[in-house]
Amino acid sequence: MRRVVVLSTGGTIASRRGPSGASVAGDGVAALLRRLPFALDVPVDGRDVLCLGSYLLTPADMAGIVREIRRALADDSVLGVVVTHGTDTMEETAYLAELVHDDPRPVVFTGAQRPADAPDSDGPRNLADAIAVAAHPDARDLGVLITFDGAVFAAQGTRKTHTVASAAFSAPDVGPLGRVRDGAVSVTARPVRNPPLDLSALNLAGIRVDVVACYPGADATVLHAVAAAGARGVVLVGTGAGNANPAINAAVARLTADGVPVALSTRAAAGPVAGIYGNGGGLDLLAAGAVPTGVLRPSQARILLTALLAAYRDPVRVAEELARRTGGSFGARLDPRLAERT
């Protein structure tokens, strides 16, 4: 029988408030599925993988979730997979899954902003929507998705943009791929995707990649510290289109010369990283060997750099792959089926 597999990993969707008022993940997948707000037309098989707040996950934990997705898809009767996950780092795990996803069947991440025992919990509807998307034929070949508050996003480029609102996720540069409401799915765009990495090479344990922020008056102290701590790669969070200052620029040049790839992202909410300014700005940083990450923001740039270091090891190859995967191939295109109908 054709079915959808739901993998539960914890997060707010599985949390209840304790005596202290703090929410703690504790519900398993059976409890999640009992709370669905409407009947589904597809059988569902639930499996517990983890039960943690996503702020506690390590890259190795995320890789473990990705391997569980692959195991679920080994069964040809599975239409698609849903992963319930905490919202704090959902964008990282979903993007890691996208990096290795080589199957036409969809993988859909979802979660909640309000705990399971809240009278207006958004988790049950988000989960039902995600299951509907995973079972829908138009979701094939979309890759890994994030479905939240009725919107369907490609994992790549999507991030949490509100701390508490029910519409927690957005993709500022490309928007959603479609919508879902009461089990009805509408796909209006399709993502531009990169070739998958080899899942068997995804051993992320021990690969340290640090994120370093630029800000007015910043010096190179943190860059020196993470290098001394054994960072294999660095994501530099520039200002504007990806700018820093001469001191940071000099440190970046030393890191790249020593074989430590530096990915250049930005703290700005939308728009690409671009080499525009000198005097320690983006143009100088690129000349120093930093690789611009396009519209990929620091959270996902770190996941990409970590995965590439695991897959290729050689820092020159890693920098080349980083540039290739972020240098213009990202985006979404209009679904031609929509064009035919309009």
Side-chain angles (χ1 to χ4, degrees):
M1 184 178 293
R2 305 287 278 169
R3 59 204 170 90
V4 169
V5 172
V6 175
L7 303 177
S8 174
T9 71
T12 300
I13 193 171
S15 296
R16 295 177 181 274
R17 293 185 181 89
S20 69
S23 293
V24 179
D27 283 4
V29 69
L32 302 185
L33 294 174
R34 283 196 298 269
R35 295 194 292 268
L36 296 179
F38 54 85
L40 297 165
D41 296 330
V42 60
V44 176
D45 176 15
R47 305 176 191 176
D48 290 310
V49 177
L50 294 170
C51 195
L52 290 172
S54 68
Y55 52 86
L56 297 171
L57 297 178
T58 67
D61 293 329
M62 294 173 179
I65 294 170
V66 173
R67 292 188 182 95
E68 289 298 326
I69 293 169
R70 180 66 60 87
R71 291 188 187 100
L73 290 172
D75 186 339
D76 291 338
S77 69
V78 173
L79 291 167
V81 175
V82 171
V83 181
T84 61
H85 195 287
T87 58
D88 280 8
T89 62
M90 186 185 295
E91 62 205 66
E92 281 103 331
T93 307
Y95 182 50
L96 183 63
E98 167 63 18
L99 288 176
V100 299
H101 190 54
D102 60 358
D103 193 293
R105 292 170 291 177
V107 174
V108 187
F109 280 71
T110 196
Q113 288 285 75
R114 296 183 289 277
D117 56 352
D120 58 345
S121 177
D122 53 333
R125 179 163 294 277
N126 282 342
L127 178 54
D129 286 345
I131 294 169
V133 172
H136 200 278
D138 283 357
R140 286 181 68 87
D141 295 310
L142 294 183
V144 179
L145 307 169
I146 292 175
T147 293
F148 221 90
D149 196 46
V152 181
F153 299 98
Q156 179 168 289
T158 296
R159 49 195 180 271
K160 187 172 183 178
T161 50
H162 201 287
T163 57
V164 295
S166 59
F169 289 86
S170 65
D173 289 286
V174 297
L177 301 179
R179 306 289 301 182
V180 55
R181 181 179 176 85
D182 295 331
V185 179
S186 173
V187 175
T188 55
R190 307 190 76 80
V192 177
R193 302 175 63 207
N194 282 302
L197 296 171
D198 181 5
L199 177 60
S200 66
L202 204 67
N203 181 9
L204 305 187
I207 298 180
R208 178 170 183 148
V209 175
D210 286 292
V211 179
V212 176
C214 298
Y215 47 86
D219 60 21
T221 299
V222 177
L223 282 172
H224 295 320
V226 299
R232 294 270 305 280
V234 173
V235 177
L236 188 66
V237 186
T239 58
N243 301 303
N245 59 47
I248 289 176
N249 186 75
V252 167
R254 285 193 293 272
L255 284 171
T256 57
D258 289 341
V260 179
V262 176
L264 178 60
S265 187
T266 173
R267 68 184 190 179
V273 173
I276 300 173
Y277 299 104
N279 199 23
L283 195 62
D284 286 351
L285 289 168
L286 302 190
V291 179
T293 60
V295 296
L296 208 61
R297 287 310 183 261
S299 59
Q300 293 188 339
R302 177 175 178 263
I303 289 296
L304 176 57
L305 184 51
T306 305
L308 291 175
L309 284 163
Y312 300 116
R313 304 289 174 172
D314 174 36
V316 174
R317 177 73 184 280
V318 168
E320 290 172 349
E321 284 292 319
L322 181 63
R324 187 178 68 81
R325 289 173 176 270
T326 59
S329 62
F330 171 83
R333 57 181 172 81
L334 182 69
D335 188 337
R337 291 169 296 185
L338 176 69
E340 291 168 2
R341 295 196 294 266
T342 57

